[in-house]
Amino acid sequence: PNGHKPQAGFDRWVQTNVIPQRQPSYMAVTVTVPLGNLTPEHFHGLADTMRRFSGGNARTQQNQNLVLRWVRAEGLPALHAELKAIGLGDPEAGLMADTVACPGTDSCKMGITSTQGVGVAIREAVQSWGIDDPLVQQIHIKASGCPNGCAQHHLAAIGLQGSSFSANGATIPCFDVFLGGGNYVGGDKFAVRVARVPSRRIPQA
């Protein structure tokens, strides 16, 4: 892993995706997996990367990312280069743009709304805003496609619960918006429902 020059965005990736382990010279690295979606190509690339940098192991996270442990500090530039090459080198793990979303209507029979589509739209909107306030960056956004709450929207600073309403004989998909859940306000509390917004207006809302 030596001899690799850090790629563009390396410093930001280290800042947001890398934390030191208690063991000297070793790091735990979070691999940002947008909306938890991995392709077969991603899996093949990750398998090789895991064998080279983390003893062939990875851990899943509740927020749909992966964690590689026992990564040597000097190997970080090479690891970032490999992750970038397979499309998984994004920073911002666990921050505002790292939206969590269940499968929604894409593959779940219980889904009322397309949380994956809304999740992508929110992610792109947040990235376009260029917010650099560190406290704002810690706001978590989670979207569930129905009241079952598989994405744990009720524990997010901004939570979205799939729903619908009828108007002029048509059923309109929308999201109930919840605010103030999780650790963002006071710690370990459920969010409070504050509004209902049509799905297409969620990024603006």
Side-chain angles (χ1 to χ4, degrees):
N2 296 321
H4 287 259
K5 292 183 178 180
Q7 294 189 357
F10 174 75
D11 289 341
R12 179 60 177 169
W13 177 79
V14 170
Q15 180 185 2
T16 61
N17 291 51
V18 178
I19 59 172
Q21 291 186 193
R22 291 183 179 180
Q23 298 79 7
S25 301
Y26 286 100
M27 303 290 173
V29 176
T30 300
V31 179
T32 304
V33 182
L35 303 177
N37 292 324
L38 293 170
T39 66
E41 292 74 23
H42 285 145
F43 275 113
H44 285 295
L46 276 171
D48 185 56
T49 299
M50 288 158 51
R51 282 191 289 267
R52 285 169 47 78
F53 293 94
S54 61
N57 296 304
R59 294 186 178 188
T60 57
Q61 277 188 330
Q62 203 167 1
N63 63 358
Q64 300 178 328
N65 290 326
L66 296 173
V67 177
L68 308 181
R69 298 185 67 230
W70 300 104
V71 176
R72 290 189 176 275
E74 64 268 22
L76 290 175
L79 171 58
H80 183 240
E82 290 202 11
L83 290 173
K84 288 269 288 186
I86 61 174
L88 294 173
D90 288 349
E92 316 299 331
L95 300 183
M96 193 176 188
D98 192 13
T99 307
V100 175
C102 73
T105 52
D106 286 1
S107 61
C108 178
K109 292 182 179 179
M110 301 295 291
I112 301 172
T113 51
S114 174
T115 48
Q116 291 286 304
V118 166
V120 170
I122 292 173
R123 179 178 173 82
E124 292 175 350
V126 171
Q127 289 174 331
S128 72
W129 298 335
I131 297 170
D132 57 8
D133 186 303
L135 291 178
V136 176
Q137 282 282 356
Q138 292 177 31
I139 293 175
H140 295 153
I141 304 173
K142 300 184 178 184
S144 299
C146 76
N148 283 341
C150 294
Q152 297 186 327
H153 64 276
H154 52 289
L155 294 177
I158 301 175
L160 306 172
Q161 174 186 293
S163 58
S164 64
F165 68 91
S166 297
N168 299 321
T171 300
I172 300 172
C174 58
F175 283 93
D176 291 345
V177 179
F178 290 73
L179 298 179
N183 296 323
Y184 179 61
V185 180
D188 298 332
K189 64 180 292 185
F190 288 116
V192 177
R193 181 185 178 277
V194 298
R196 176 170 286 179
V197 179
S199 297
R200 62 185 178 84
R201 299 297 302 275
I202 282 295
Q204 294 92 328

